[in-house]
Amino acid sequence: MKYHSTRSKEAYFDSRDAILKGLCDDGGLFVTDDMDGERLDPGALIDKGYRELAFDIMKRFLSDMDEKSLKDAIASAYDDKFASRLITPVTPLGNDWLLELYHGPTCAFKDVALCMLPRLMSIALKDRDEKLMIVTATSGDTGKAALEGFRDASGIAITVFYPYQKVSDIQYLQMATQEGNNTFVGAVRGNFDDCQTEVKKIFSSDIVSELEGSGVYLSSANSINIGRLIPQIVYYADAYRQLMARGELLPGDPVDFCVPTGNFGDVLAGYIAKRMGLPVRKLIVASNENNVLTDFLTTGVYDRRREFKKTISPSMDILVSSNLERMLYYESGGDCELTAGLMKDLSEKGYFRISDEMLSGIRESFDCGYASDDEAREAIRASYESYDRVVDPHTAVAIKVAEDCRRRGAAGDCPMVILSTASPYKFASDVYGSIFGGGAVSGQEAMALLYERTGEPIPKSLRDLQKKPILHKEVLDIREMKGFVYDNVRRSLLL
């Protein structure tokens, strides 16, 4: 299977090179035109465990990797570091289902991919005299999951940027206390889009050629990297398998997925699963008040020229959804020129518009909606009071949007699977306040109170965060980000 840019077909790469590069030289994202031939047989899923299913799916996209190495990487990634033996269990929420993606070491859905990506990069680096600096922007969860995944990896270092004072208390502590001689964290004065835009500029700047002369290459751990995206396809297929095992689906029956998303990576993995033949009726894109995706899927106009809103679901506080570019490529019939033009319009004008015909095609696979903070709080409260389920604000957004779709007749007569993307304890203050009211409570205190009132177990990795020393204190202006990366390379990889 070969990969090329969403913006050009002039150069093709195998998966190892695509994973190591992360981003294409022209600023596009790696895609493959071979995907539609890799069909999933729903009936063949039923007898496979998570690891076996992961190998079956990933080997299709990573065909240049040795099968034994890939199997070993999967076994190492999905072991007892996940609190559930199912890795991503499906559990009931009233008449709907929650796909629990938060049982990994950092209690967020990013763990499913970021326990795998470092191992894929190690396979890709084998027999190459190269070192890697991972440079990643995060709106909250990717940062910790990536830092933990790459901690002390041989020949690899990682720099994570997050928006200063725009992540939750727990997310901040997870990153600021991160251990590892090869891990670096910078808080950036700005929002996530500022961080992500500057990271993309760094990848196309003079620092790339300068570092390559020293044998150091830049790569990314964001979902723009196909090595992040491919492992996420697995849990859509495994959710379908679990529903068949429960007798809720027969092979070939349709299912809906409602996905809280900001950067469009998580829902894009479901879209790829659908293109491969998983019987997905609709992928419902759930946004918070930064509802640029809702407007786009409704009108065909993507317009980032709007007020950025800080919400209680910070991992979705995004106005430029990078992975949308891949969907646009596929829905345009693989038109690189059109995709490049749309991205140019977004960069230069702040918006782009697609044709009515293209929008109609997209709407065959996607529906959408958004929830305000107040609506998310109400969904948190109602989930606890009605179903004794404690959910985080991102999951709550998806619960509200799923309810809205059902109310307006947009949901199918089929199971609705809501992706639950983080432990409620990562956002304990807002979750506790939503259920029990009262004034603002700090993250650590709220964790204790939430456990006391609900009995929901606190994940081990979050319990003692307050006791850990703050190791990363750097606060940067945007213009300082490139120099920070260069300094980190010198102190970790060019010793």
Side-chain angles (χ1 to χ4, degrees), residues 144 147 151 169-180 183 185 444 461 463-474:
K144 173 60 180 180
L147 289 162
R151 181 179 66 173
D169 294 347
I170 301 300
Q171 287 173 320
Y172 161 72
L173 284 173
Q174 283 188 301
M175 289 186 282
T177 61
Q178 176 66 48
E179 299 172 344
T183 61
V185 181
Q444 205 73 17
S461 62
R463 254 179 246 152
D464 299 321
L465 274 177
Q466 203 76 42
K467 300 175 184 176
K468 292 186 175 183
I470 301 297
L471 302 176
H472 303 278
K473 302 176 182 179
E474 291 82 0

Side-chain angles (χ1 to χ4, degrees), residues 37-48:
E38 297 294 338
R39 306 299 291 174
L40 283 173
D41 176 7
L45 303 177
I46 187 69
D47 295 324
K48 295 181 178 178

Side-chain angles (χ1 to χ4, degrees), residues 292-293 295-297 299-306 319-329 338-355 358-359 362:
V292 63
L293 286 168
D295 288 348
F296 168 68
L297 292 169
T299 67
V301 177
Y302 192 104
D303 194 341
R304 63 174 172 82
R305 302 169 301 174
R306 61 183 69 205
L319 295 179
V320 180
S321 303
S322 291
N323 268 290
L324 187 69
E325 181 171 346
R326 283 188 169 110
M327 188 266 280
L328 294 172
Y329 170 81
L338 173 64
T339 306
L342 293 174
M343 293 302 101
K344 183 179 180 182
D345 284 347
L346 183 62
S347 175
E348 296 180 356
K349 300 177 183 178
Y351 74 96
F352 65 78
R353 181 189 302 272
I354 62 173
S355 68
M358 188 172 173
L359 177 61
I362 291 171

Side-chain angles (χ1 to χ4, degrees), residues 96-110:
D96 295 330
W97 300 88
L98 289 185
L99 174 54
E100 298 179 2
L101 301 175
Y102 50 80
H103 293 290
T106 77
C107 308
F109 81 97
K110 311 290 177 79

Side-chain angles (χ1 to χ4, degrees), residues 225-244:
N225 192 313
I226 62 156
R228 256 285 303 275
L229 188 61
I230 291 166
Q232 293 178 272
I233 301 168
V234 177
Y235 51 68
Y236 283 92
D238 192 65
Y240 195 91
R241 180 196 65 78
Q242 289 185 57
L243 289 177
M244 287 193 296

Side-chain angles (χ1 to χ4, degrees), residues 106-389:
T106 77
C107 308
F109 81 97
K110 311 290 177 79
D111 287 325
V112 179
L114 283 166
C115 283
M116 193 69 201
L117 180 59
R119 291 163 175 83
L120 295 180
M121 286 187 165
S122 292
I123 295 172
L125 279 172
K126 189 177 180 182
D127 301 324
R128 301 189 187 198
D129 187 22
E130 298 173 3
K131 296 180 180 179
L132 281 184
M133 169 57 79
I134 309 298
V135 183
T136 288
T138 182
S139 54
D141 285 334
T142 288
K144 173 60 180 180
L147 289 162
E148 188 63 29
F150 285 98
R151 181 179 66 173
D152 297 328
S154 177
I156 304 176
I158 178 168
T159 298
V160 167
F161 295 108
Y162 71 92
Y164 180 53
Q165 295 183 337
K166 292 183 175 67
V167 298
S168 78
D169 294 347
I170 301 300
Q171 287 173 320
Y172 161 72
L173 284 173
Q174 283 188 301
M175 289 186 282
T177 61
Q178 176 66 48
E179 299 172 344
N181 294 326
N182 64 334
T183 61
F184 305 94
V185 181
V188 178
R189 297 182 182 94
N191 58 40
F192 170 76
D193 291 326
D194 296 325
C195 297
Q196 180 166 255
T197 298
E198 188 61 21
V199 165
K200 287 185 176 181
K201 288 180 180 178
I202 290 171
F203 274 91
S204 59
S205 72
D206 55 357
I207 193 177
V208 175
S209 57
E210 185 177 347
L211 292 176
E212 286 180 358
S214 302
V216 177
Y217 292 78
L218 297 186
S219 191
S220 173
N222 284 90
S223 54
I224 57 175
N225 192 313
I226 62 156
R228 256 285 303 275
L229 188 61
I230 291 166
Q232 293 178 272
I233 301 168
V234 177
Y235 51 68
Y236 283 92
D238 192 65
Y240 195 91
R241 180 196 65 78
Q242 289 185 57
L243 289 177
M244 287 193 296
R246 285 176 171 268
E248 298 293 329
L249 290 173
L250 294 174
D253 285 350
V255 62
D256 285 339
F257 287 96
C258 188
V259 189
T261 191
N263 212 23
F264 210 77
D266 203 4
V267 72
L268 183 76
Y271 173 74
I272 293 173
K274 178 177 170 66
R275 288 186 71 102
M276 291 174 70
L278 194 70
V280 179
R281 191 194 72 92
K282 290 282 187 180
L283 293 154
I284 301 167
V285 177
S287 301
N288 63 18
E289 291 177 85
N290 293 292
N291 58 347
V292 63
L293 286 168
T294 308
D295 288 348
F296 168 68
L297 292 169
T298 304
T299 67
V301 177
Y302 192 104
D303 194 341
R304 63 174 172 82
R305 302 169 301 174
R306 61 183 69 205
E307 178 189 358
F308 177 89
K309 298 181 179 179
K310 184 179 177 181
T311 74
I312 64 170
S313 47
S315 296
M316 298 158 65
D317 288 349
I318 296 172
L319 295 179
V320 180
S321 303
S322 291
N323 268 290
L324 187 69
E325 181 171 346
R326 283 188 169 110
M327 188 266 280
L328 294 172
Y329 170 81
Y330 286 119
E331 287 296 324
S332 67
D335 190 332
C336 291
E337 185 177 355
L338 173 64
T339 306
L342 293 174
M343 293 302 101
K344 183 179 180 182
D345 284 347
L346 183 62
S347 175
E348 296 180 356
K349 300 177 183 178
Y351 74 96
F352 65 78
R353 181 189 302 272
I354 62 173
S355 68
D356 290 344
E357 180 183 7
M358 188 172 173
L359 177 61
S360 178
I362 291 171
R363 295 280 295 181
E364 289 181 9
S365 295
F366 295 93
D367 211 313
C368 61
Y370 75 96
S372 68
D373 275 356
D374 285 344
E375 289 170 329
R377 290 187 181 98
E378 173 56 25
I380 293 170
R381 186 194 62 78
S383 295
Y384 179 68
E385 292 185 353
S386 299
Y387 309 118
D388 198 31
R389 296 300 303 268

